[in-house]
Structures are given as structure tokens and as C-alpha cells.
Amino acid sequence: MFHRPLRTTVVALLVTAVAGCSALTDAQPDGKLDVVAAFYPLQFVSEQVGGDHVSVTNLVQPGVEPHDLELSPKQVAEVTDADAVVYLRNFQPAVDDAVDEGAKNKSLDVATVAPLKDGYVPLEEGELHHDEKGKDPHVWLDPTRLAGIADAVAKEFGRRDPANAAEYTANAKALDSKLATLDGEYKSGLANCQQKTIVVSHNAFGYLSARYGLTQVPITGLTPEEEPSAARLAETAAYAKKNGVTVIFFETLVSPKIAEALAREVGAKAEVLDPIEGIAKDSKDDYFSVMRSNLTTLRGALSCR
């Protein structure tokens, strides 16, 4: 992976190279707004809001973990030439660089819609200490915050394509209604649980935990591939045993080995809890089906009534 200063230089050169070959237009030849989404949840929202009036390109291939995405020259050109770019700053540095170099005036940073902050519920003094550097960016796991993003996407699309602005607004309201229903399912489904702690492979469920009264204990920090220290593993194992944790959660797009090893250490099961950073190749799932599968998994793991 390039160090950040070199990556920025490379992106600048690529943008310069493609600038003479392509020009920004208000829509594609088929009349659709050309939208680039940085990763799956933003692709999902863009497609739901845009409907038949947009063509959405996801910069991350299906089944690929999005954090450390490196852009090809073709993808840099896609960002530069798009009519609108929907991304989350500080989640994918290469995308940040491409936006800064060629798409500042046509991009929507969803972090500005739902300000990022530490989402997990702090533990009592003397219990497991959270020392992650940075903040949990997985804002889409709180359906109410994703609804706010949908509204902002509708405004951005309407600004770029005024003729269809009313339809974008109507589509966002329809999506907001579905997200409100999902939020209600989570509220009622997690209201009466014997356990309130979730031990997860990385710091991805802070917004979900904060919304529904859970305590997230991540094995690693913000990056799924990060290797936890022996001290961190021992500390997490001790916490899990002390608090009667029966399930250790791992993710769909990264190796489950660490979570499975910790589960064996504490006598727990290892199960999938999906942060919905992407959808597996050839999967028929979408945001709603995965969120509802997560809810079923959580209810079982936390002994909810």
C-alpha cells in the first residue's frame, strides 16, 4: 500500500491524465445521473433514492472488504467524471484523495450528515478499557441515521438533476418509512434481553449498540485485519468470562480465526454478525435482509424474550 503522501501524488497524476479525455456532464447519454458510491451501504441508499433516474457504480467489488481499497486508474476516472459521488470521509483514504483531487464540488460526505462520534456504551470504571484510536464510522447500522443520509442524498441528486428532484425526495421518504419500521423491530426485539454485551471482531457496532442499549466490546480496533495484542486478547477473554458472554461474533468478509480462538478460550460459540460493509458475490441479500438476520442472531445470543 502506498504511504498517504505518495498515494495523493499518484491520484493527482491520474486525474490530470484523464482530464483531457473526459468532461463532466449533467447526465449520461441514457439520461441517467452517473453516481459513484464508495461502498455498499452508500450504493444501496443511492439506488433506493435515485430509482430509474440514476446509474450507480460501487467502487468496491462484491465480497471485498472496503477499508483498504486502492483505486485503479479507471476508478479514479470514474470518480472524476461522475455527476455525483457519495462517500464517507476517513473510511477509505484512497477515495478521500480522489474526491479531493477531482470531485470536491459534486460529492456528498455522509459524515457531515451524521456526525461521527464514539458510539459504544462506556463500561463501568475498572472494567475492560477501550483504547481504540479513531472513531467507529459504521453509522449505517443505526437505521435512523441512515434515513438522514437518504434525505441528504435526495437533496444532492435533486441539486444535480432538478427535473427529477421531487421523485428523489419521494423515494427518500419511502426509504425512511422502511427504515423506521426496521428501527421499531430492533427496539422491540432487543428490549428484554438477559445479556447486553456483544463481543465483536472489530469496532464496527458502536452506532447499533448506542441506539439499542448494548455494550460493544471489540477484539480489535477500527480495521478488521488488525492483529490484537496478546494482552488485549487476554483482557477480552477475562471480560467475556466475567460477564457470561456465550457468543463471540465474527464478520463475513474477514477471517474468523481470532474470534473462533477467543470463543474456544471462553467456552462460547462463534457466530456471524455482519457490519454490512459489503455483500458477498452472487448473494441475494440486501441491507434490510442482513439487518434482520443480524437482529435474529443478536436475540439468540443475548437471550432476548
Side-chain angles (χ1 to χ4, degrees), residues 125-199:
E125 185 177 356
E127 293 188 305
L128 189 70
H129 175 62
H130 293 278
D131 60 354
E132 290 76 19
K133 295 178 181 179
K135 305 186 182 209
D136 170 13
H138 299 71
V139 64
W140 57 90
L141 295 177
D142 178 344
T144 65
R145 290 180 178 266
L146 191 61
I149 290 172
D151 294 342
V153 167
K155 289 180 181 178
E156 179 64 18
F157 288 0
R159 185 175 72 85
R160 305 296 298 182
D161 179 21
N164 294 303
E167 190 166 344
Y168 296 140
T169 299
N171 288 346
K173 287 183 178 179
L175 179 57
D176 290 352
S177 178
K178 293 178 182 178
L179 289 167
T181 297
L182 179 65
D183 178 54
E185 292 172 13
Y186 263 79
K187 275 186 172 180
S188 60
L190 298 177
N192 297 294
C193 303
Q194 294 181 22
Q195 177 64 265
K196 288 289 187 180
T197 298
I198 56 173
V199 177

Side-chain angles (χ1 to χ4, degrees), residues 19-76:
C21 303
S22 57
L24 177 65
T25 58
D26 290 335
Q28 293 298 292
D30 59 6
K32 293 186 177 183
L33 202 66
D34 180 22
V35 177
V36 168
F39 57 100
Y40 172 72
L42 304 184
Q43 173 196 358
F44 177 77
V45 169
S46 296
E47 290 175 340
Q48 293 290 306
V49 171
D52 295 335
H53 299 299
V54 302
S55 175
V56 182
T57 298
N58 185 349
L59 291 174
V60 181
Q61 294 298 311
V64 175
E65 206 287 320
H67 283 82
D68 294 322
L69 173 70
E70 293 291 349
L71 299 181
S72 68
K74 178 177 181 291
Q75 289 176 308
V76 173

Side-chain angles (χ1 to χ4, degrees), residues 263-281:
R264 288 193 296 270
E265 170 70 17
V266 303
K269 297 185 295 182
E271 295 183 359
V272 171
L273 192 64
D274 196 333
I276 324 184
E277 294 175 346
I279 297 293
K281 187 177 181 180

Side-chain angles (χ1 to χ4, degrees), residues 71-102:
L71 299 181
S72 68
K74 178 177 181 291
Q75 289 176 308
V76 173
E78 287 173 339
V79 171
T80 302
D81 295 341
D83 298 320
V85 180
V86 184
Y87 77 114
L88 173 63
R89 183 163 287 274
N90 297 323
F91 188 67
Q92 297 162 297
V95 178
D96 294 352
D97 291 342
V99 168
D100 289 345
E101 293 295 339

